[in-house]
């Protein structure tokens, strides 16, 4: 008895829709097994992980706050991944965007103006884009592998932030805590709804998703991204430049990651600290794939992954497991998403024995 | 090579009522066929008749919807190429399945037993390629090889399996006459060794030359079987197409106009270690003219196409001129905007993206030249799906493209039908200059004559047409002028009327000595 993968003659439309759901179901099953092995009641644990956070208004707001950066970054990454550029360093671009956007509220903290916020958001995007320009330049002109360079630059960004908040940008009145001044009122991204904390970052995320969806579906630019992702040579024949596409996709995703960074800092944290992200830039990679690299799918996937963050916090409180289970769930989910995608291109078959399959001995 | 033991009597392979449905469309419909040991069996049929689909089922790439296959008298289910190889069936695909980033030897090793070392594979491949006259460098990277060279890899790879049945899907469509001759020797050698060959080709002369029997398919059904030697090419074509094939009428009455396409001392260094550099290539194509460039694959044809199309612009702007304006440094879309159209050699992944629909593939080539019609919404550049789909439909109708569905992915079309679409995509614009590389590679007799006639008509209507081709029949059918390319150098053009096949052969071979002398003199 063996299991064999058989290539489908055509990609399965059914499974390209079903695959994320199967992956999610498998994640729940394996998560339940994990809780059981930890000695917890799996049903209760899963309930407190996945359902409880959805039962109250304030926690729904938390969900939106966590989903916003995931969606924003994921949407940018979808453009990269579709065009065959593998930006793995969104975490670093998120941090650099946050830093660039914080220049005014931290350094020129006395300046008060309604222009403050737009300027911060703009600088956030510029910061993220410039940081993504490094791997873009290296790939476009030096033929360097962007997966490695963009990933390694994440550590550069993290250490740079750490140095800033402990050194030059440390709050002089902060009793030596490693953090900057708290932002002034002009520098704070306001809440969107009266009912809770959700800030405008969530609106940016939804707008970005809709805009990219429109671009991919209707415009020549979206077509260019698709073609270059499928075949560089055909793209060249169409007059598209893969080098320009490296620049475009990297800068675009960097800018969105930077916007996510400054929105998070200005809307949710309201100062810079040594750590400002629980790994949004990496989790957004899962979001992009779980959402099938489709911006609308990414909105849904962003909410699901945001739930794993909240669930981890909830589970820590109510059943006393480490919040590392968040990472475990995210890992499981990515693993199952990628493996379930196999079903789109392949069929699973059970084969009894090589020769029995080869010859049905009727002739003898 | 010893042949595995076989049952003395009965067919090697028999197929009963084999059917393959794609949705409700029957690509193969209750096909019956048998292949005897030691015969070369031809499978004929127009584009989209179902030939490739049939042999893919025999090789385990596609699963039959219904029907039986028996091998040496036993019923078998062939569920993967691995199964097929175990039985002793090898196949050379119409569209190659090679990894571009790997070397020739690595590609071959991928389909072999894992225990065999790469060095041995390379050695064995080199030996076979010498034995069968298919020159190959095992350490070359596939990405750097021409279509013809890639095909040799596939053939050598098939031979390495020591198969009893070799299926060749249009093997000669990219080979030169000389290369094809060598292949036929190989096939006859294989036949003498007691092996069988299933041979798909659109070239009826060669089928008559080497095949013992032929089965003809039309619209997925077997419509006849014959001894090809007892037929004429015309009668075979009639069996395939159902009616007579039009004869291309070359040489219009039009008087020749201004020079529309020109290369002046075009030199291009090789982009990769295995590419050919172009050396001082000059050519002129006037309105009303068809200049054909003959030559053996891999002598700079693709490089010339790249430089003329602007996919890889050159530094000297004057080296290429379209309608008497310098364009050497301009990109492909700038040249299209000046009225030029281009048809590359490779269909999948160059002229078309297989996973995209035909209408998207229309946008691929014409997103700038037809931006008024196809794009709207100002700077947003929204693709007007309605207009594009209508144009794709118009092209499909004009070129008689057979397809399953209204706007299917390019990859689901048969090779010849996709080619008709790709050529039609350019003809539809009535370009003032058309550059075509291998216009009828893998296209059936009816469609080929239609494409060639269209090229001739385009020239008659006042366009300048440049055809790069290895097919001398094609060249004589369409050309008004002929030049020969060899090792990146182009001969002077000759009026087609004054040239014979022999003279072209001489130019291909004899030119080197003369030109190399001249080149050396220039170099110092
Ligand atoms: N995967 C697929 N999905 C849908 N239709 C397909 C698919 N593959 C082939 N077809 C259709 O089946 C028919 C037969 O195709 P096939 O490739 O077998 O033709 P062929 O005889 O090899 O033609 P050619 O000489 O042009 O290579 C065509 O009409 C083609 O559009
Ligand atoms: Mg075919």
């Amino acid at each position: 008895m063996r299991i064999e993968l058989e290539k489908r003659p055509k990609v399965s439309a059914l499974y390209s829709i079903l695959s994320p759901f199967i992956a999610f179901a498998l994640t729940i099953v394996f998560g339940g097994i994990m809780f059981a092995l930890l000695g917890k009641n799996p049903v209760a644990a899963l309930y407190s992980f996945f359902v409880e956070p959805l039962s109250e208004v304030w926690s729904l707001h938390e969900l939106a706050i966590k989903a916003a950066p995931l969606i924003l970054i994921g949407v940018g990454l979808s453009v990269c991944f579709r065009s065959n550029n593998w930006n793995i360093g969104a975490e670093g671009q998120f941090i650099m965007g946050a830093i660039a956007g914080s220049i005014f509220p931290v350094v020129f903290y006395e300046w008060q103006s309604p222009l403050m916020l737009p300027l911060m958001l703009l600088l956030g995007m510029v910061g993220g884009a410039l940081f993504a320009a490094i791997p873009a330049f290296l790939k476009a002109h030096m033929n360097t592998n962007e997966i490695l360079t963009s990933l390694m630059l994440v550590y550069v960004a993290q250490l740079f932030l750490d140095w800033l908040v402990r050194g030059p940008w440390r709050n002089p009145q902060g009793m030596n805590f490693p953090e900057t001044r708290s932002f002034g009122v002009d520098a704070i991204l306001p809440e969107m709804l009266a009912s809770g904390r959700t800030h405008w970052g969530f609106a940016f995320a939804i707008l970005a998703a809709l805009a990219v969806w429109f671009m991919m579906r209707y415009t020549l630019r979206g077509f260019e991204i698709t073609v270059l992702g499928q075949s560089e040579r055909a793209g060249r024949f169409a007059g598209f430049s893969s080098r320009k596409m490296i620049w475009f996709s990297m800068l675009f995703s960097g800018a969105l990651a930077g916007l996510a960074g400054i929105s998070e800092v200005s809307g949710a944290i309201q100062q810079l600290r040594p750590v400002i992200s629980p790994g949004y830039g990496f989790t957004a990679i899962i979001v992009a794939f779980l959402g099938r690299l489709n911006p609308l799918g990414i909105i849904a996937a962003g909410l699901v992954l945001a739930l794993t963050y909240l669930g981890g916090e909830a589970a820590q409180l109510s059943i006393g497991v480490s919040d590392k289970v968040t990472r475990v769930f995210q890992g499981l989910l990515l693993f199952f998403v990628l493996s379930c995608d196999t079903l789109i291109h392949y069929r699973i078959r059970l084969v009894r024995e090589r020769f029995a399959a080869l010859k049905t001995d009727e002739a003898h | 090579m010893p042949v595995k033991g076989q049952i003395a009597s009965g067919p090697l392979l028999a197929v009963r009522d084999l059917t393959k449905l794609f949705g409700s469309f029957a690509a193969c419909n209750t096909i019956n066929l048998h292949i005897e040991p030691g015969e070369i069996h031809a499978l004929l049929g127009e584009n989209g008749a179902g030939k490739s689909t049939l042999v893919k089922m025999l090789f385990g790439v596609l699963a039959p919807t219904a029907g039986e296959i028996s091998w040496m008298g036993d019923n078998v289910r062939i569920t993967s190429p691995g199964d097929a190889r175990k039985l002793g069936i090898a196949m050379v695909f119409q569209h190659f399945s090679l990894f571009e980033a790997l070397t020739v030897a690595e590609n071959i090793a991928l389909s072999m037993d894992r225990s065999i070392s790469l060095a041995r594979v390379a050695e064995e491949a080199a030996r076979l390629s010498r034995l069968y006259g298919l020159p190959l460098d095992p350490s070359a990277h596939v990405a750097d090889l021409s279509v013809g060279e890639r095909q040799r890899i596939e053939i050598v790879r098939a031979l390495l399996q020591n198969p009893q049945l070799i299926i060749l899907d249009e093997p000669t469509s990219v080979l030169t006459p000389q290369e094809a001759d060598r292949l036929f020797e190989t096939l006859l050698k294989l036949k003498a060794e007691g092996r069988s060959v299933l041979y798909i080709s659109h070239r009826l002369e060669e089928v008559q030359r080497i095949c013992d029997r032929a089965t003809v398919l039309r619209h997925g059904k077997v419509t006849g079987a014959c001894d090809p030697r007892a037929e004429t090419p015309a009668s075979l074509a009639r069996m395939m197409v159902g009616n007579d094939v039009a004869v291309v009428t070359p040489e219009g009455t039009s008087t020749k106009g201004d020079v529309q396409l020109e290369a002046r001392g075009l030199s291009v260094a090789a982009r990769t270690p295995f590419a050919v550099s172009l050396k001082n290539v000059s050519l002129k194509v006037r309105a009303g003219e068809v200049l054909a460039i003959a030559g053996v694959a891999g002598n700079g044809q693709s490089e010339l196409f790249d430089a003329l199309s602007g996919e890889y612009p050159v530094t000297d702007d004057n080296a290429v001129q379209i309608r008497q304006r310098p364009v050497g440094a301009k990109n492909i879309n700038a040249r299209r905007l000046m009225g030029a159209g281009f048809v590359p050699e490779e269909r999948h992944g160059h002229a078309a993206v297989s996973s995209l629909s035909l209408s998207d593939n229309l946008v691929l080539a014409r997103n700038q030249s037809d931006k008024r019609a196809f794009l709207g919404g100002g700077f947003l550049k929204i693709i007007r799906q309605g207009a594009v789909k209508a144009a794709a439909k118009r092209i499909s109708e004009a070129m008689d493209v057979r397809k399953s569905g209204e706007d299917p992915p390019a990859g689901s079309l048969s090779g010849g039908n996709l080619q008709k679409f790709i050529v039609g995509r350019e003809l539809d614009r009535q370009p003032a200059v058309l550059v075509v590389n291998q216009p009828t590679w893998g296209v059936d007799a009816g469609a080929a004559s239609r494409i060639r006639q269209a090229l001739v008509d385009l020239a008659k209507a006042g366009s300048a047409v440049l055809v790069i081709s290895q097919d001398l029949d094609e060249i004589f059918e369409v050309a008004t002028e002929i030049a020969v390319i060899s090792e990146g150098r182009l001969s002077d053009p000759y009026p087609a009327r004054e040239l014979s096949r022999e003279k072209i052969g001489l130019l291909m071979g004899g030119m080197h000595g003369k030109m190399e002398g001249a080149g050396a003199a220039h170099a110092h």
Side-chain angles (χ1 to χ4, degrees):
Chain A
M1 256 304 241
R2 264 174 327 115
I3 301 176
E4 260 194 6
L5 288 178
E6 183 184 83
K7 193 153 171 67
R8 293 177 193 274
K10 226 163 69 176
V11 296
S12 159
L14 178 69
Y15 276 106
S16 35
I17 295 167
L18 273 187
S19 135
F21 293 97
I22 301 175
F24 191 64
L26 285 170
T27 306
I28 301 273
V29 170
F30 277 78
I33 294 174
M34 178 186 71
F35 282 130
L37 292 176
L38 286 170
K40 313 283 171 192
N41 175 352
V43 177
L46 285 172
Y47 181 84
S48 68
F49 196 94
F50 283 109
V51 185
E52 241 169 44
L54 297 176
S55 58
E56 282 177 75
V57 174
W58 72 265
S59 54
L60 286 176
H61 278 282
E62 291 305 309
L63 189 73
I65 289 176
K66 295 229 153 44
L70 292 178
I71 296 170
L72 210 45
I73 303 171
V75 163
L77 290 183
S78 74
V79 168
C80 264
F81 295 166
R82 276 200 184 265
S83 67
N84 220 351
N85 289 301
W86 299 96
N87 179 6
I88 306 298
E91 181 81 1
Q93 293 138 27
F94 177 95
I95 293 172
M96 284 312 212
I99 293 174
S102 301
I103 292 175
F104 277 89
V106 172
V107 181
F108 308 104
Y109 57 93
E110 279 163 334
W111 185 53
Q112 287 185 350
S113 155
L115 283 179
M116 179 70 131
L117 203 52
L119 201 64
M120 284 166 62
L121 296 176
L122 192 70
L123 277 177
M125 291 203 264
V126 171
L130 282 182
F131 203 55
I134 302 172
F137 173 80
L138 291 173
K139 179 174 184 185
H141 298 278
M142 312 275 177
N143 226 351
T144 318
N145 184 324
E146 76 279 17
I147 298 179
L148 297 178
T149 52
S150 65
L151 177 64
M152 290 191 291
L153 283 166
V154 171
Y155 307 111
V156 175
Q158 284 171 340
L159 292 172
F160 182 60
L161 173 65
D162 193 80
W163 172 76
L164 269 183
V165 295
R166 288 175 202 280
W169 279 14
R170 191 176 54 197
N171 184 358
Q173 285 101 49
M175 310 205 283
N176 264 346
F177 277 115
E179 52 190 36
T180 63
R181 277 172 208 287
S182 293
F183 291 3
V185 273
D186 281 340
I188 289 176
L189 198 58
E191 281 138 20
M192 249 171 87
L193 303 166
S195 62
R197 280 192 347 119
T198 309
H199 55 77
W200 279 90
F202 190 69
F204 298 157
I206 302 296
L207 279 179
L210 290 177
V212 170
W213 172 79
F214 182 85
M215 172 177 83
M216 293 304 294
R217 195 178 156 96
Y218 293 108
T219 71
L220 187 64
R221 173 59 66 144
F223 181 72
E224 178 178 351
I225 291 166
T226 310
V227 168
L228 283 170
Q230 304 262 333
S231 161
E232 204 215 307
R233 194 66 226 249
R236 185 180 283 275
F237 177 69
F240 303 147
S241 152
S242 54
R243 186 175 281 185
K244 280 188 194 145
M245 184 50 69
I246 296 173
W247 281 105
F248 173 78
S249 66
M250 295 294 278
L251 293 189
F252 183 77
S253 63
L256 286 193
L259 179 63
I262 187 59
S263 301
E264 172 77 7
V265 168
S266 149
I269 313 179
Q270 301 169 359
Q271 65 179 176
L272 283 180
R273 296 180 191 152
V275 175
I276 53 170
S277 157
Y280 286 135
F282 294 117
T283 306
I285 299 172
I286 308 177
V287 169
F289 279 105
L290 185 63
R292 305 238 67 95
L293 301 183
N294 174 330
L296 302 185
I298 286 172
I299 296 181
L303 290 167
V304 169
L305 266 296
L307 186 57
T308 63
Y309 279 118
L310 284 193
E313 288 169 12
Q316 195 176 12
L317 291 177
S318 58
I319 54 172
V321 294
S322 152
D323 68 347
K324 293 278 186 298
V325 291
T326 300
R327 292 256 149 229
V328 175
F329 269 102
Q330 292 180 351
L332 281 174
L333 198 53
L334 178 64
F335 175 78
F336 285 122
V337 169
L338 294 181
S339 35
C340 286
D341 277 1
T342 312
L343 292 173
I344 299 171
H345 296 280
Y346 296 88
R347 220 191 317 262
I348 295 181
R349 284 194 328 144
L350 290 179
V351 182
R352 247 165 284 122
E353 216 198 300
R354 187 117 209 158
F355 244 72
L358 224 60
K359 298 194 175 187
T360 33
D361 281 280
E362 289 168 18
H364 299 290
Chain B
M1 286 197 293
V3 175
K4 291 171 202 160
Q6 56 179 252
I7 298 163
S9 65
L12 178 68
L13 176 98
V15 163
R16 274 181 299 277
D17 293 335
L18 205 62
T19 299
K20 176 72 196 179
L21 301 177
F22 290 113
S24 61
F25 173 80
C28 285
N29 195 346
T30 59
I31 298 218
N32 288 291
L33 170 84
H34 61 99
I35 297 171
E36 303 294 334
E39 77 165 344
I40 303 185
H41 192 116
L43 193 57
L44 303 178
E46 58 184 331
N47 292 132
K51 306 176 298 292
S52 296
T53 306
L54 172 60
V55 296
K56 278 182 194 159
M57 288 192 282
L58 298 182
F59 195 59
V61 177
L62 288 176
T65 315
E68 290 176 351
I69 302 173
S70 73
W71 178 256
M72 296 194 220
D74 295 335
N75 273 348
V76 288
R77 282 206 339 141
I78 306 172
T79 55
S80 70
D83 284 357
R85 280 189 208 110
K86 277 242 164 74
L87 290 173
I89 302 176
M91 173 143 172
V92 176
F93 285 93
Q94 179 175 14
H95 299 113
F96 314 136
S97 43
L98 299 169
F99 290 95
E100 301 223 337
L102 301 182
T103 65
V104 172
E106 285 164 343
N107 264 289
I108 293 173
L110 275 178
S111 64
M112 305 279 298
D113 211 329
R114 261 166 232 173
S115 56
I116 303 173
S117 77
L118 199 60
R120 268 216 41 214
V121 169
E123 213 173 88
E124 186 63 15
R127 189 183 68 80
L128 276 176
S129 71
R130 266 196 312 278
L131 184 65
Y132 290 114
L134 301 159
L136 264 189
D137 170 8
S139 60
H141 281 259
V142 171
D144 304 317
L145 299 181
S146 73
V147 185
E149 290 161 316
R150 289 177 195 209
Q151 179 147 53
R152 285 181 217 148
I153 308 176
E154 296 264 1
I155 294 175
V156 168
R157 179 156 84 172
L159 293 176
L160 269 169
Q161 320 265 342
N162 187 20
Q164 239 169 317
L165 172 65
I166 301 169
I167 303 171
L168 297 144
D169 195 350
E170 302 190 24
T172 52
S173 41
V174 285
L175 301 185
T176 59
Q178 294 87 331
E179 286 172 321
D181 283 343
R182 264 189 247 137
L183 176 67
F184 300 152
E185 277 167 33
T186 309
L187 295 184
L188 292 172
K189 210 180 272 182
L190 293 170
K191 175 181 159 181
E193 288 170 349
R195 299 170 211 270
S196 309
V197 176
L198 182 58
Y199 188 83
I200 301 179
S201 175
H202 290 295
R203 297 193 176 166
L204 302 172
E205 297 83 5
E206 62 187 42
V207 166
Q208 289 193 300
R209 218 170 109 194
I210 60 162
C211 295
D212 306 304
R213 277 194 312 137
T215 299
V216 183
L217 295 187
R218 260 191 84 203
H219 300 313
K221 285 197 177 139
V222 175
T223 54
C226 62
D227 175 358
R229 291 179 183 125
E231 305 285 331
T232 63
S235 71
L236 281 174
R238 206 176 312 122
M239 281 175 82
M240 284 163 47
V241 185
N243 49 33
D244 284 310
V245 172
V247 179
V248 179
T249 48
E251 285 270 355
T253 47
S254 83
T255 47
K256 287 176 188 154
D258 295 336
V259 175
Q260 299 284 67
L261 174 68
E262 185 172 0
R264 290 184 188 165
L266 174 65
S267 293
V268 180
R271 260 197 322 280
T272 64
F274 303 100
V276 177
S277 57
L278 294 179
K279 298 160 194 103
N280 200 16
V281 169
S282 296
L283 59 84
K284 274 186 188 153
V285 194
R286 293 169 199 282
E289 233 175 34
V290 181
L291 171 65
I293 295 184
V296 179
N299 271 288
Q301 286 95 331
S302 350
E303 289 80 2
L304 178 61
F305 181 86
D306 290 346
L308 292 178
S309 71
E311 283 175 282
Y312 288 92
V314 295
T315 38
D316 177 7
D317 208 28
N318 285 311
V320 181
Q321 314 234 345
I322 286 176
R323 304 175 88 180
Q324 300 175 355
R325 276 182 292 166
V327 296
K330 304 217 167 51
N331 65 24
I332 185 165
N333 275 332
R335 301 185 195 196
R336 285 186 177 122
L337 284 171
M338 295 169 68
F342 306 96
V343 180
E345 171 181 23
E346 181 65 44
R347 292 190 272 267
H348 294 282
H350 187 174
V353 179
S354 315
S355 61
L356 296 182
S357 66
L358 287 186
S359 59
D360 279 345
N361 274 295
L362 177 59
V363 177
L364 189 76
R366 290 171 49 177
N367 61 73
Q368 287 309 303
S369 57
D370 292 61
K371 63 178 168 218
R372 281 224 196 87
F374 291 166
L375 298 181
F379 77 99
L380 285 179
K381 297 194 183 161
I382 295 169
I383 299 171
R384 289 200 176 125
Q385 288 297 342
V388 176
K389 287 216 164 76
K393 186 152 179 261
R394 180 176 73 221
I395 293 167
S396 298
E397 273 161 18
M399 297 302 288
D400 187 25
V401 177
R402 315 259 171 93
K403 52 195 163 61
S404 47
E406 187 56 34
D407 194 16
S412 79
L413 262 65
S414 79
N417 277 304
L418 183 55
Q419 183 69 8
K420 285 193 266 181
F421 183 82
I422 289 167
V423 174
R425 180 173 73 182
E426 303 304 328
L427 293 176
D428 182 61
R429 287 177 54 208
Q430 287 289 323
V433 174
L434 184 65
V435 180
V436 198
N437 196 1
Q438 317 296 356
T440 61
W441 169 33
V443 174
D444 71 44
S449 93
R450 164 181 243 116
I451 289 176
R452 290 171 193 163
Q453 188 65 55
L455 296 177
V456 169
D457 292 345
L458 185 70
K460 255 189 230 172
S463 301
V465 180
L466 179 83
V467 176
I468 303 172
S469 175
Q470 299 183 50
D471 183 340
L472 290 185
D473 295 322
E474 170 164 277
I475 285 180
F476 280 110
E477 269 185 86
V478 300
T480 57
E481 311 276 313
I482 300 176
V484 175
I485 191 165
S486 174
E487 293 183 358
R489 295 189 181 85
L490 191 70
S491 75
D492 292 333
Y494 297 88
R497 255 181 266 107
E498 293 173 14
L499 274 185
S500 61
R501 274 157 206 278
E502 289 68 35
K503 186 122 187 256
I504 292 185
L506 281 177
L507 281 170
M508 285 180 188
M511 194 171 70
H512 302 178
K514 196 177 86 191
M515 301 277 289
E516 239 145 35
H522 280 299
H524 297 287

